[in-house]
């Protein structure tokens, strides 16, 4: 091109195609078909990897909707058994039980009703063991649903947790669930030392060989538990749980808790919540290579996805799968999800 000012040729930079005659791979060939796209997942979402949370009340004939938790209910033992039977027929493998005592006087400072032989959890363990003998039953172990103050342990006058008394009480609850027939106990209280106390309790009771101990090792405080607390009636009556649940930025604390709980005898590790804590799931998989890693897609996460779908922002089925695959990709092998009944149908459609 002639320069307009001096008539000389002007050099113009041009892109030259690299002299490559073959490309290393045509990636699309590996995922052009729906089945191929499933094959590309390092970890498959299966019915065996799903755990369904159930809220069990002390009203045996109750079935009441939880307004802040779409499509979920509080159940009495007489109602929950046929419901679970219908899900088992679709392939449900595992449930986790949360007690919701509602009767007047059922709560006290020590969580006495947590392991009441005639309470909702123990009655439901026995009923499900009879009705669904192949169902794997996990019991959440905590005191917040059963204490009059709504905290996860026994308190001092200043509101702080008395560690020694609390872990003894938590161990007693866990052992009584195991005696009733629970296949797994999962302490969610985050009180230091409870894994060792529970493992010793199971050993002393002759139950350690047939009851898994799954620790909520990395349970973070935050804003995603509101619907659960509505469902379980477990909101603290004063203060919060920031002094025993982990701070959202506390990655190092989570790693330390995972290592400690493994040393104390945990058979599986849980991370809670899930979506905002995928790095912690990945850390758990690295630190606990030889045990199952579970994550809990908590009530706030589930409710948010429903809210987004109702607004037309996302497709509910697609976003549920995407969230689950994120957890699996990060390293989880098990997912506690309120979407479980949906997944039992959706997985059959793949």
């Amino acid at each position: 091109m002639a320069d307009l000012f001096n008539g000389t040729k002007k050099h113009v930079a041009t892109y030259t195609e690299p002299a490559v005659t073959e490309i290393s791979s045509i990636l699309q060939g590996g995922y052009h078909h729906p089945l191929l796209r499933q094959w590309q997942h390092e970890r498959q979402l299966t019915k065996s990897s799903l755990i369904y949370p159930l809220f069990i009340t002390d009203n045996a004939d109750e079935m009441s909707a939880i307004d802040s938790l779409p499509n979920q209910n509080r159940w009495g033992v007489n109602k929950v058994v046929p419901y679970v039977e219908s899900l088992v027929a679709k392939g449900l493998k595992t449930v986790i039980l949360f007690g919701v005592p509602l009767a007047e006087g059922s709560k006290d400072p020590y969580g006495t009703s947590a392991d009441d032989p005639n309470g909702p959890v123990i009655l439901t363990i026995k009923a499900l063991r009879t009705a669904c003998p192949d169902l794997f039953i996990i019991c959440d172990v905590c005191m917040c649903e059963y204490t009059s103050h709504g905290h996860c342990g026994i308190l001092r006058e200043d509101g702080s947790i008395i560690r020694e008394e609390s872990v003894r009480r938590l161990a007693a609850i866990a052992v009584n669930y195991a005696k009733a027939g629970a296949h797994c106990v999962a302490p969610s209280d985050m009180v230091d030392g409870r894994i060792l106390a529970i493992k010793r309790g199971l050993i002393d009771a002759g139950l350690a060989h047939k009851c898994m101990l799954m620790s909520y090792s990395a349970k973070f405080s935050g804003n995603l538990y509101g619907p659960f607390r509505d469902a379980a009636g477990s909101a603290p009556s004063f203060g919060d749980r920031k002094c025993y649940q982990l701070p959202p930025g506390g990655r190092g604390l989570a790693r330390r808790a995972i290592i400690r709980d493994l040393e104390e005898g945990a058979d599986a590790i849980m991370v809670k919540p899930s979506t905002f804590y995928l790095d912690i799931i990945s850390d758990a998989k690295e630190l606990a290579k030889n045990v199952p890693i579970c994550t809990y897609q908590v009530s706030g996460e589930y409710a948010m996805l429903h809210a987004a779908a109702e607004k037309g922002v996302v497709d509910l089925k697609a976003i549920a799968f995407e969230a689950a695959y994120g957890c699996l990709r990060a390293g989880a092998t098990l997912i506690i999800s309120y979407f479980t009944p949906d997944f039992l149908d959706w997985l059959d459609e793949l």
Side-chain angles (χ1 to χ4, degrees), residues 183-266:
H183 300 101
C184 174
V185 289
S188 60
D189 53 279
M190 293 296 289
V191 177
D192 291 327
R194 88 274 201 215
I195 299 303
L196 180 60
I198 292 171
K199 180 63 85 172
R200 284 177 173 169
L202 292 171
I203 292 170
D204 290 345
L207 295 168
H209 66 290
K210 61 178 181 179
C211 184
M212 171 183 259
L213 175 49
M214 178 187 291
S215 175
Y216 287 71
S217 297
K219 179 180 178 180
F220 290 82
S221 63
N223 293 290
L224 292 169
Y225 302 131
F228 177 95
R229 291 172 182 171
D230 291 344
S234 61
S237 60
F238 65 89
D240 53 42
R241 297 176 180 145
K242 293 180 181 179
C243 288
Y244 47 97
Q245 294 179 1
L246 302 180
R251 184 178 185 181
L253 284 169
R255 293 175 68 92
R256 289 168 60 192
I258 290 166
I259 293 168
R260 179 200 61 192
D261 289 357
L262 287 171
E263 291 174 347
E264 291 187 6

Side-chain angles (χ1 to χ4, degrees), residues 26-37:
I26 298 176
L27 297 180
Q28 290 92 334
Y31 58 92
H32 71 90
H33 188 278
L35 181 59
L36 292 177
R37 290 191 282 277

Side-chain angles (χ1 to χ4, degrees), residues 5-52:
F5 296 100
N6 57 26
T8 60
K9 292 267 186 178
K10 184 176 182 179
H11 293 287
V12 178
T14 60
Y15 172 76
T16 302
E17 185 80 20
V20 177
T21 58
E22 296 182 3
I23 64 173
S24 61
S25 178
I26 298 176
L27 297 180
Q28 290 92 334
Y31 58 92
H32 71 90
H33 188 278
L35 181 59
L36 292 177
R37 290 191 282 277
Q38 290 186 51
W39 288 358
Q40 294 296 338
H41 298 156
E42 292 184 12
R43 295 180 178 87
Q44 298 286 337
L45 181 65
T46 68
K47 295 179 181 182
S48 295
S49 61
L50 294 165
I51 300 169
Y52 187 38

